[in-house]
Amino acid sequence: MEVDSEDIQLLSMTMTDLRSDQLENQLLRHVDSLNKPLVNPRLRSSFEQLRAEHPRRFAELCKVHLSFITDVPADFLEDETACSGPRLAGHPDGLANKSTTSLTRWLAIGLLSRPAGLHRPPDDAAQLWQAESLLSLLSRQLQAGQPREGLFRKAGSLLRQRQIRDCLREGRLLDSADLSCHDTAGALKNCLADLPEPLLTSRLLPYFQRLAAPPPLLDQPLAAARQLRGLRLLMQLLPARRRCLLARLLCLLHSLSADPESRMCPESLGTVLGPALLYPPVCGWDAALVCARAVGLNSAAARLVELGPALLEIPESLGVDAARALDRLRLGRNPGADEVCLSLRFADCPRFPDPAGFTRAQLADLYTAVHCLPESGRKRRLLRRFNRCNGGLAKPSRPRT
Amino acid sequence: MSKSVSKSVKPIKIVVIGSGGVGKSALTLQFSKSKFFLDYDPTIEDSFSKSCYIDNEMARLDILDTAGQEEFTSMREQYMRLGQAFLVVFSVTDRKGFEEVDSLIQLIYRVKDREAFPIMVAGNKIDLQNDRCIDQSLAQELVQRHQEFNPYCAYIETSAKTRLNVDLVFHDLVRLLRLYNAKGGSKQAKKSKCSLL
């Protein structure tokens, strides 16, 4: 059979167009399904039940879902404290792997007396309570209509901030009329920065930093959808108290950024709250590290503020898997520790019954057509390309009949 | 001509400090780019440079605009060590920003290990007269207290929005620095240390 090279070009162009349309449709479906929120109340209650009754299985499920979005080390869940405990091994930045840098940073952590990653100090709960109380006070002040221009940016009175925190340490809340929302916001920022264990936990902080950083192709729907999904999964991995506090904080910041009176856009809030939320504990004292990473971390914090309440949704596929895992546990068919049933697939292609077979057949057709071309530099080039794509081992399998 | 002259002149490192949202960036941008930007983005660190003649003498200013938020105070001491002259800004409409001025000046003395250093205090936003809560006398009183032992400290009221005294505040700071250098301040005015032995 003689095939003209122009026909081949036309054929491959048509196939490319066809495939790109199909791909686009698939992509849009995939983007929709990635972040479909869990609304079914039955699934939601199963989800919460699995979290409460089988925290390890729950965390494992989240980890597997997360591994579709970002690299998760195999030992991510190896210690008992699962997702709540401080942990530096398996840090995606290789914190504990590089001897010199890790030594420096471990030393720095030790010397700078912020005991992140080593021992949980007993006053962790008390500090969280302080932050919760300050957040409640700030919400009340904002509801009362206090002027909010430059909130979190303008400095409050240092004296009053100290008074607020001293009172909180004694277990009471200073709520006097001359307290401005800037005083409270300043005290809240300090309180968050002083948490012995970061609000996002030492374990999850590097993942938040990495996932919230603006991806290079944020305009592409898939990149943005994957980011949102990853952050939603991380939110679910946070211990309950921290998750609630973060949720309340992000909702408040999100509404503040939408309020023109505050003049604080998400980027501005990211700049002033990045240090309290996303900087590594040691960073607060290390000027060089702050300078090097500040911009990236601040824009990551801005992204968290921008997404705000959207981060609190539970991905539907996670809910479905959680319900399935709970059913299996209830039926007594206790699967092995590593077995996780997933509703996720790497690719969806409902239009063709056998997508892999279809691709193979199409490739074989194309290969034959190229093989029939008259000898030329172009044919050699195309064959080389084929061999490269095909691993250089053999021609695609289906011969043309 | 001016380009080659300015290149041969040693740059003067001016550091602009002050509380958050008082108008440090607005003042710096108005001076260096002659524009008033309506943006309300907090700064982490920005630097600008400008060459100009002050008292018929060429000066090349490297201005470092800094963050006002205390989250970034870790960087403060680092840039304070490099600064040759300081512009301490507060807003006349913000009492809390004014309260921080004294501690910032004290920090400069401590970091530079000097009892006297060229410091210009700028009371910004004086176009907002209705919201004013810091009187000129109050700010002058503060500066006079410092002038008792630091003759290179001065106070000027500015408005970055209307460009009032913007050039003056930077030019006067350079004048203070020249005076300080002429009197050998950098060598002599070190804090007196214990000389028991």
Side-chain angles (χ1 to χ4, degrees):
Chain A
M1 188 183 73
E2 283 296 317
V3 185
D4 186 39
S5 67
E6 280 184 13
D7 288 347
I8 289 291
Q9 225 165 9
L10 198 66
L11 172 72
S12 57
M13 273 168 67
T14 319
M15 279 166 59
T16 313
D17 284 351
L18 187 68
R19 278 178 195 159
S20 69
D21 279 354
Q22 287 166 1
L23 278 174
E24 204 175 317
N25 288 338
Q26 278 176 32
L27 183 73
L28 289 176
R29 271 202 305 277
H30 183 54
V31 164
D32 281 347
S33 67
L34 265 181
N35 286 317
K36 206 169 168 191
L38 180 65
V39 284
N40 184 330
R42 191 186 63 79
L43 289 178
R44 200 173 250 276
S45 88
S46 301
F47 180 81
E48 293 301 340
Q49 201 175 343
L50 183 75
R51 194 209 307 261
E53 292 172 9
H54 307 280
R56 193 163 181 82
R57 176 54 52 89
F58 174 83
E60 203 167 316
L61 193 65
C62 290
K63 174 200 154 182
V64 175
H65 276 255
L66 191 62
S67 66
F68 281 84
I69 306 289
T70 186
D71 290 337
V72 181
D75 60 349
F76 184 57
L77 294 168
E78 263 179 15
D79 61 14
E80 276 307 302
T81 43
C83 43
S84 56
R87 190 179 147 71
L88 291 175
H91 189 293
D93 293 346
L95 187 61
N97 299 333
K98 302 271 189 305
S99 57
T100 48
T101 48
S102 71
L103 181 66
T104 321
R105 292 186 66 178
W106 277 102
L107 276 175
I109 288 167
L111 290 173
L112 292 165
S113 77
R114 178 152 177 174
L118 299 177
H119 300 290
R120 176 180 292 236
D123 62 347
D124 195 44
Q127 289 265 27
L128 281 176
W129 176 80
Q130 286 186 19
E132 286 161 357
S133 310
L134 285 167
L135 194 57
S136 304
L137 176 60
L138 185 61
S139 305
R140 282 203 299 278
Q141 286 172 328
L142 291 178
Q143 273 166 13
Q146 283 205 16
R148 61 201 63 187
E149 186 186 310
L151 191 66
F152 287 105
R153 180 184 179 183
K154 286 185 176 174
S157 156
L158 293 177
L159 179 69
R160 265 188 236 122
Q161 285 180 32
R162 209 174 305 131
Q163 282 172 343
I164 297 173
R165 295 205 59 195
D166 286 346
C167 285
L168 282 171
R169 276 187 208 107
E170 291 164 13
R172 61 196 174 86
L173 193 63
L174 180 77
D175 193 359
S176 72
D178 60 342
L179 209 62
S180 82
C181 55
H182 296 285
D183 301 331
T184 317
L188 176 61
K189 266 196 301 184
N190 289 339
C191 185
L192 290 173
D194 288 350
L195 281 174
E197 167 77 355
L199 179 62
L200 303 177
T201 70
S202 304
R203 169 194 290 279
L204 295 178
L205 184 65
Y207 295 92
F208 271 103
Q209 289 170 348
R210 197 165 60 184
L211 278 175
L217 302 168
L218 193 60
D219 53 324
Q220 300 227 337
L222 185 60
R226 283 169 64 84
Q227 182 187 48
L228 178 58
R229 185 182 172 83
L231 290 170
R232 280 177 172 173
L233 291 167
L234 286 177
M235 285 291 282
Q236 296 307 320
L237 276 167
L238 278 174
R241 196 166 178 188
R242 288 167 185 270
R243 187 172 63 250
C244 289
L245 180 58
L246 181 65
R248 283 176 59 200
L249 179 69
L250 289 179
C251 286
L252 183 132
L253 294 174
H254 183 78
S255 62
L256 191 69
S257 70
D259 183 355
E261 200 196 320
S262 76
R263 297 184 71 194
M264 296 295 283
C265 59
E267 287 71 29
S268 304
L269 285 168
T271 305
V272 292
L273 278 151
L277 284 180
L278 282 181
Y279 284 23
V282 64
C283 217
W285 291 268
D286 190 332
L289 208 58
V290 171
C291 290
R293 298 187 62 193
V295 177
L297 292 177
N298 291 344
S299 49
R303 187 76 185 136
L304 290 181
V305 173
E306 199 180 344
L307 291 169
L311 295 175
L312 313 183
E313 301 283 359
I314 302 160
E316 191 183 44
S317 54
L318 181 67
V320 170
D321 287 344
R324 199 176 290 170
L326 192 69
D327 286 347
R328 286 168 73 92
L329 287 163
R330 271 192 196 138
L331 288 170
R333 279 190 282 133
N334 197 352
D338 297 332
E339 190 185 337
V340 179
C341 295
L342 293 179
S343 59
L344 283 179
R345 275 172 296 169
F346 278 104
D348 270 325
C349 192
R351 196 176 292 182
F352 307 108
D354 176 16
F358 175 80
T359 310
R360 262 201 307 277
Q362 294 291 308
L363 265 176
D365 283 349
L366 203 61
Y367 182 82
T368 317
V370 170
H371 204 69
C372 293
L373 285 172
E375 287 302 324
S376 67
R378 185 157 177 268
K379 180 182 170 180
R380 281 195 296 279
R381 224 175 19 252
L382 284 170
L383 281 174
R384 263 206 307 279
R385 208 164 148 195
F386 246 113
N387 288 335
R388 252 206 318 275
C389 296
N390 214 19
L393 296 173
K395 67 176 185 179
S397 56
R398 198 185 83 174
R400 197 182 177 99
T401 50
Chain B
M1 191 271 297
S2 67
K3 223 173 190 180
S4 59
V5 171
S6 74
K7 277 203 169 170
S8 63
V9 176
K10 210 176 164 195
I12 297 168
K13 290 190 173 60
I14 292 179
V15 180
V16 186
I17 53 176
S19 184
V22 294
K24 297 178 291 296
S25 303
L27 210 58
T28 311
L29 285 164
Q30 182 64 275
F31 176 67
S32 59
K33 299 202 189 310
S34 302
K35 272 184 191 163
F36 179 67
F37 289 85
L38 284 167
D39 294 355
Y40 197 68
D41 296 336
T43 311
I44 300 177
E45 195 176 282
D46 276 327
S47 57
F48 304 89
S49 91
K50 182 168 175 166
S51 301
C52 49
Y53 279 97
I54 301 169
D55 301 335
N56 296 322
E57 195 182 331
M58 170 61 86
R60 206 169 113 209
L61 312 185
D62 277 355
I63 306 164
L64 186 71
D65 181 20
T66 64
Q69 287 70 36
E70 57 181 312
E71 290 78 42
F72 300 101
T73 43
S74 55
M75 297 151 85
R76 246 180 213 164
E77 292 202 9
Q78 197 185 16
Y79 55 64
M80 275 189 178
R81 262 179 239 120
L82 303 171
Q84 294 171 284
F86 292 87
L87 181 63
V88 184
V89 185
F90 72 92
S91 160
V92 293
T93 65
D94 177 13
R95 182 166 291 280
K96 292 149 199 165
F98 179 67
E99 284 167 8
E100 217 178 298
V101 170
D102 191 51
S103 58
L104 283 172
I105 297 178
Q106 298 293 351
L107 185 64
I108 296 170
Y109 295 146
R110 206 164 56 239
V111 172
K112 303 306 281 189
D113 194 22
R114 297 274 188 279
E115 278 175 341
F117 208 76
I119 296 168
M120 176 65 76
V121 180
N124 194 30
K125 302 194 189 181
I126 59 161
D127 51 296
L128 301 173
Q129 278 300 337
N130 291 340
D131 300 326
R132 183 166 186 150
C133 60
I134 304 294
D135 281 340
Q136 190 171 4
S137 56
L138 202 63
Q140 264 166 350
E141 203 179 297
L142 171 89
V143 171
Q144 273 163 10
R145 273 207 311 276
H146 284 280
Q147 279 172 339
E148 284 172 18
F149 52 90
N150 179 13
Y152 313 103
C153 185
Y155 173 66
I156 292 179
E157 302 214 319
T158 59
S159 163
K161 193 173 182 179
T162 62
R163 208 183 156 77
L164 182 75
N165 292 343
V166 171
D167 287 338
L168 181 73
V169 83
F170 282 94
H171 290 189
D172 271 10
L173 183 56
V174 173
R175 288 183 187 114
L176 285 173
L177 176 67
R178 284 176 181 166
L179 200 64
Y180 176 76
N181 288 338
K183 301 250 170 151
S186 56
K187 284 165 196 155
Q188 291 168 12
K190 266 211 167 188
K191 266 188 182 174
S192 54
K193 291 201 173 148
C194 174
S195 52
L196 197 66
L197 300 172

